Amino acid sequence: MKPTPSPPAASELRARAEKQWRQRQKPEPPAAGQKAASDNLRTLHELQVHQIELELQNAELKDARDWLETLLEKYTDLYDFAPVGYFSLDEKGLIQEVNLTGAALFGVERVQLVNRRFARFVPPASQSDFLAFLKRVFNGTGQEVCDLALIKDDGTNFWASLRGTTALSASDSPQLCRVSVSDITAIRQADDALRESEVRFHAMADSMSQLAWIARPDGFITWYNQRWYDYTGTKPKQMEGWGWQSVHDPKVLPLVLKQWKYSIATGKTFDLVFPLRSAAGEFRQFLTRAVPQKDKQGRMLQWFGTNTDVEDQKRAEEAQRRTEVLEATNEKLEKEIVRRQAVEKALKQSERHLSRSLAQAQQQQEQLRQLARQILWAQEEERKRISRELHDEIAQTLVGMNVHLESLASEGLVNPAHFKQKIVSTQAMIEESVNVIHRFARDLRPTLLDDMGLIPALHSCLKEFSERTKVRIHFKAFAGVERLSSHRRTVIYRVAQSALTNIAQHAHATEVKVSITKVRHIACLEIHDNGKSFDVERVLFAKRYKRLGLIGTRERVEMIGGIFSIESSPGKGTTIRAQIPYSPPDQSGKNPLKTKPA
């Protein structure tokens, strides 16, 4: 802002006037003896210099007037458009001056406010406060402040902050004061909302079951809820700041302080369980949690903490833990009892099993003796049969052939027609001998099994059996059985051959069904007849039973890791099953037939 010019000194103004006069005219020096003329010239000179002085003063006054007008214009703008209302009031409260902002606050034209009482816009309830404020302003020397509810011209209320000071005035002018009016409705509403929120917060905090408190960023606690005082039996003065340490267990307090100071230094949430002493002197466990509250810039504002009584929960957890330990112990004891009972039962079963095993071993030993005797007996019987058949069939046929040959030798030339008949008869005897020899060979080892495979060999055997016994045969097999090893195919053939022999000798059946099926990794041979049944146990385990067929068949199947079984019941006939695995037991001795699939 341009500084206000000060009036020039008389000597300075005189010097400037003299300088300008000399520039305007150059007077001639006076002649000698002309004193009167010289006095006149001097007077003229003074008048001219004074005239110049007046002109200079007039120019400076004009500059000062222009500068003051500019300042007045700026002041008027600042005054009228200030963010607050400015009022000039006399001692009676009449409005002498007001800016545009003040008029806008009341919603009234400025000219209509002049000489109106300011109290007109003050509610009746606040009249006394306003008059007291006005009195303090006129009686005091400093600034006075007052917050009032004011009324606009349309009847709406707003909160205003009034700040007043006395104004300088001439001695003959009435005393005035300057009052600034600011609309603080939003601030007042925010304060009211804040106070209401604080009231609600305190009411809520006092009604909550936990102990609650608020601390400054440095950990200095400034507020506790009523529950804290009720529990600890303390007073606010005792607990202010760091006084809470007095209700802590001295043994645990160092840990609490360490953790609390760490949270204060790092701004991290404080979370710890520790005991607090009650008003009765009892220590109870509390879960204490303090959460930092920060502003938008992340600056710490305060801490809000709660203490939750977890004593009952801790005791319940301890009781639950003890109960679980007892239950676990009881469960272990029960398991131990069950285990010992199982061991005792297993020992008894093992004892019975050992007894049975011993008896079975003795029985098997006896069976082995019987089997050895039966094998010797069977060998002897087989030799007798072969000898008898050789004697009865082959020998007699050969003797007959020899007789025919001798007859041919003696009668060949005498009776040629009879010679040809003799030759035909001899050929028939030779053919019969060959068939008998083939039958012997088939019974001992069928060549068709080696040459053509299992299915053709079985088919031939079954056909011969049906032709010989007149029993109907139903046969089916899957081709994959030929992939079995030669030894396994031989076992299947012998089982079928032995079964057919027993059917022919004992069953008196009219129909036989033979099937070979595949179940996973097993070839299953099943032979069913509709003939008479028999006691399987008696036949397989009789000490002195003379039939070796079924026992030998079972031994053949079990030697290759198979399972042999017989089912026989009256009216349903007999079913013989042989389950032959595709692969032998592995090196560990595990049998694929006895391993349950996963």
Side-chain angles (χ1 to χ4, degrees), residues 476-489:
K476 64 177 181 179
F478 75 102
V481 73
E482 299 292 355
R483 291 197 295 271
L484 287 170
S485 64
S486 175
H487 187 42
R488 283 172 168 71
R489 286 186 281 121

Side-chain angles (χ1 to χ4, degrees), residues 376-504:
L376 294 176
W377 175 81
Q379 288 177 348
E380 190 61 31
E381 288 296 318
E382 187 68 14
R383 287 180 183 139
K384 286 169 62 178
R385 185 182 67 82
I386 293 173
S387 175
R388 185 172 56 250
E389 291 187 1
L390 287 174
H391 179 270
D392 293 344
E393 296 184 21
I394 302 299
Q396 290 180 9
T397 302
L398 292 177
V399 170
M401 290 171 59
N402 187 35
V403 172
H404 278 276
L405 290 174
E406 288 179 356
S407 176
L408 289 174
S410 61
E411 296 180 5
L413 297 176
V414 179
N415 191 357
H418 188 63
F419 180 75
K420 184 178 182 180
Q421 183 179 359
K422 289 285 188 179
I423 290 177
V424 172
S425 177
T426 303
Q427 288 177 339
M429 294 176 67
I430 293 174
E431 184 177 354
E432 183 181 356
S433 299
V434 171
N435 289 335
V436 172
I437 292 172
H438 282 171
R439 182 163 54 82
F440 284 162
R442 185 176 63 249
D443 291 341
L444 294 174
R445 175 72 181 185
T447 58
L448 190 61
L449 180 61
D450 297 324
D451 297 339
M452 301 298 293
L454 176 61
I455 296 176
L458 282 176
H459 191 274
S460 175
C461 179
L462 294 172
K463 181 179 179 182
E464 187 274 332
F465 174 82
S466 180
E467 291 175 352
R468 179 164 48 86
T469 61
K470 307 304 179 183
V471 176
R472 291 192 307 274
I473 299 293
H474 301 280
F475 175 60
K476 64 177 181 179
F478 75 102
V481 73
E482 299 292 355
R483 291 197 295 271
L484 287 170
S485 64
S486 175
H487 187 42
R488 283 172 168 71
R489 286 186 281 121
T490 301
V491 170
I492 292 176
Y493 181 83
R494 290 302 186 192
V495 171
Q497 189 180 45
S498 175
L500 292 174
T501 300
N502 288 330
I503 291 171

Side-chain angles (χ1 to χ4, degrees), residues 543-575:
K543 293 183 178 180
R544 298 187 179 275
Y545 206 77
K546 295 299 183 181
R547 290 195 179 93
L548 187 62
L550 292 177
I551 297 177
T553 301
R554 184 182 66 182
E555 292 296 328
R556 283 179 183 272
V557 174
E558 291 180 351
M559 278 193 306
I560 61 172
I563 297 176
F564 180 79
S565 63
I566 303 175
E567 295 178 2
S568 184
S569 58
K572 295 184 179 180
T574 302
T575 301

Side-chain angles (χ1 to χ4, degrees), residues 183-367:
D183 188 346
I184 60 171
T185 302
I187 298 174
R188 190 62 177 257
Q189 290 175 348
D191 290 342
D192 292 343
L194 179 61
R195 281 191 294 271
E196 183 179 354
S197 175
E198 289 178 351
V199 170
R200 287 198 304 268
F201 169 76
H202 289 163
M204 180 187 67
D206 288 338
S207 64
M208 64 191 299
S209 60
Q210 294 108 321
L211 316 183
W213 45 272
I214 294 176
R216 295 192 312 224
D218 60 357
F220 187 93
I221 298 181
T222 58
W223 172 86
Y224 294 91
N225 70 340
Q226 189 59 40
R227 281 283 298 159
W228 173 278
Y229 298 117
D230 293 342
Y231 174 77
T232 59
T234 57
K235 302 295 182 181
K237 284 295 183 181
Q238 296 174 286
M239 293 292 101
E240 188 178 25
W242 295 78
W244 49 267
Q245 300 180 53
S246 61
V247 297
H248 276 251
D249 186 347
K251 297 178 182 178
V252 186
L253 182 59
L255 174 63
V256 176
L257 287 172
K258 179 180 178 182
Q259 187 68 27
W260 179 226
K261 290 178 180 179
Y262 172 79
S263 295
I264 293 172
T266 60
K268 294 183 178 180
T269 299
F270 176 85
D271 201 332
L272 191 64
V273 176
F274 50 80
L276 291 176
R277 188 180 66 243
S278 68
E282 174 192 9
F283 278 99
R284 294 179 65 87
Q285 293 290 332
F286 281 81
L287 169 61
T288 300
R289 182 168 293 153
V291 180
Q293 295 180 334
K294 302 179 181 180
D295 60 13
K296 294 181 179 180
Q297 288 74 33
R299 292 172 298 194
M300 179 71 72
L301 297 177
Q302 62 182 8
W303 293 89
F304 180 75
T306 59
N307 306 84
T308 304
D309 191 342
V310 294
E311 180 69 25
D312 295 337
Q313 178 182 346
K314 287 288 185 181
R315 291 178 180 177
E317 289 176 355
E318 180 65 20
Q320 179 65 23
R321 188 186 65 80
R322 292 179 180 177
T323 302
E324 290 175 355
V325 171
L326 290 175
E327 289 178 353
T329 304
N330 290 336
E331 185 178 356
K332 288 181 180 179
L333 290 175
E334 290 175 357
K335 287 182 179 180
E336 182 65 20
I337 292 172
V338 171
R339 188 187 68 81
R340 293 191 179 187
Q341 289 176 347
V343 170
E344 183 179 359
K345 183 178 179 181
L347 289 175
K348 291 179 179 180
Q349 290 178 348
S350 177
E351 184 178 357
R352 290 194 295 268
H353 178 69
L354 288 176
S355 300
R356 289 196 300 268
S357 298
L358 181 59
Q360 188 176 359
Q362 293 173 351
Q363 182 180 1
Q364 289 177 350
Q365 186 177 9
E366 182 63 25
Q367 286 180 351

